[in-house]
Amino acid sequence: MTPSTPSARRRGRRLVYRLAAILVAVGVWQLFAAGPGASSDFPSPAATARSAADLVTTGEYWSNIGHSVTTALIGLAVAIVGGLVIGLLIGVSPAARRSTQLLLDFGRTVPAIALLPLFLLLFGATRQLGVVLILVSAVWPVVIQTSYAVGQISPQLKVVARAYHLTRWHRLRYVVAPSMLPFVFAGLRIAATLSLLMAISSEFLGGSDGIGYVLLQAMQINDSDRAFVYSITAALLGVLLNLVFVHLQRRVLWWHSSVRTGGAA
């Protein structure tokens, strides 16, 4: 028996449990569609699957996915860069952390959707609208996690860095980055989810191209099968984006205890 056998068994059990949960959800979906939802033409899993099979062969389907994902990734990139820079600037100074605490608490509680009418007037139904909404909503987890992580760096590490006369770049690379990355990745995973959510929401409410807009069109003409396909597509994209960041976290933080013990799953 190899040492990896117990962990392989645990992974196998988790996979079985997840598949069982999916089957239960599909079963409940089928029961609802055949029962209470029948009067409102609630689509069944089979009808949704047939509609999905027709849509995935069209260029429109993939074009809308590409548009939404591109908007989400552009907004996420801007939020990550801005959040890291602002978080570092706040985190290195106790006075800056104290003076910005109220602003951060206020900013992260303001829903970006509440600012949609203003941004719609400024940017119209364009990709810029989605990018700005993503920035306003996704930057806060990155800023907060980064500033907290930098502020929690051990004073002993700072003393050692000064004793060895490390340059600012070497302090950032060998002291700050390893200490803050475990916290930052938690903020990145939240920001990634928010970026996709806000991209689709901006398309749905603003009327720009993408999954959100075609979902709105399907609802307006009461095409529930098509609406369900795009809703499930959005959910699967969110899961895929989260898995990408989990994989990236495991590759970057392979040395950290949270990854070695499976905490990043």
Side-chain angles (χ1 to χ4, degrees):
M1 181 178 294
T2 62
S4 61
T5 299
S7 60
R9 288 178 177 174
R10 285 195 296 270
R11 288 195 296 268
R13 285 198 297 269
R14 284 200 298 267
L15 179 60
V16 171
Y17 293 153
R18 290 170 180 175
L19 291 176
I22 293 174
L23 291 176
V24 170
V26 172
V28 172
W29 178 5
Q30 174 62 39
L31 290 175
F32 181 82
S39 59
S40 57
D41 294 329
F42 194 86
S44 66
T48 303
R50 288 192 297 269
S51 182
D54 294 334
L55 281 175
V56 296
T57 60
T58 64
E60 178 190 5
Y61 177 79
W62 297 106
S63 175
N64 287 314
I65 290 178
H67 194 283
S68 297
V69 171
T70 301
T71 302
L73 292 180
I74 293 174
L76 178 61
V78 175
I80 289 175
V81 173
L84 288 175
V85 172
I86 296 172
L88 283 170
L89 293 175
I90 294 175
V92 296
S93 170
R97 291 198 301 272
R98 289 193 297 269
S99 61
T100 58
Q101 185 64 47
L102 178 61
L103 178 62
L104 293 179
D105 289 339
F106 174 77
R108 66 179 180 176
T109 58
V110 176
I113 292 297
L115 303 174
L116 178 63
L118 173 62
F119 292 149
L120 195 56
L121 288 174
L122 293 175
F123 302 102
T126 61
R127 173 169 283 164
Q128 286 78 7
L129 171 66
V131 172
V132 172
L133 282 176
I134 293 169
L135 176 62
V136 171
S137 60
V139 72
W140 300 110
V142 183
V143 171
I144 292 170
Q145 290 293 103
T146 303
S147 61
Y148 175 81
V150 175
Q152 296 301 310
I153 294 177
S154 171
Q156 288 78 10
L157 287 177
K158 298 179 181 178
V159 171
V160 171
R162 287 195 296 268
Y164 280 95
H165 301 287
L166 297 182
T167 64
R168 289 185 177 181
W169 165 248
H170 285 112
R171 290 184 187 183
L172 178 63
R173 180 177 179 182
Y174 296 111
V175 178
V176 176
S179 300
M180 77 176 193
L181 280 178
F183 296 92
V184 170
F185 263 101
L188 294 184
R189 290 173 64 177
I190 297 173
T193 302
L194 288 174
S195 67
L196 183 63
L197 174 64
M198 296 311 301
I200 296 175
S201 297
S202 67
E203 295 159 359
F204 186 89
L205 298 173
S208 59
D209 293 335
I211 294 176
Y213 183 58
V214 292
L215 180 59
L216 175 63
Q217 288 181 320
M219 294 176 60
Q220 288 175 338
I221 63 176
N222 200 27
D223 189 350
S224 55
D225 291 347
R226 191 161 171 254
F228 257 66
V229 171
Y230 279 107
S231 297
I232 294 173
T233 299
L236 292 177
L237 287 175
V239 172
L240 179 60
L241 188 59
N242 183 69
L243 290 177
V244 169
F245 272 87
V246 169
H247 178 71
L248 182 62
Q249 180 176 349
R250 287 173 175 169
R251 293 294 298 271
V252 174
L253 300 178
W254 57 269
W255 48 270
H256 196 264
S257 59
S258 65
V259 174
R260 285 181 290 147
T261 58

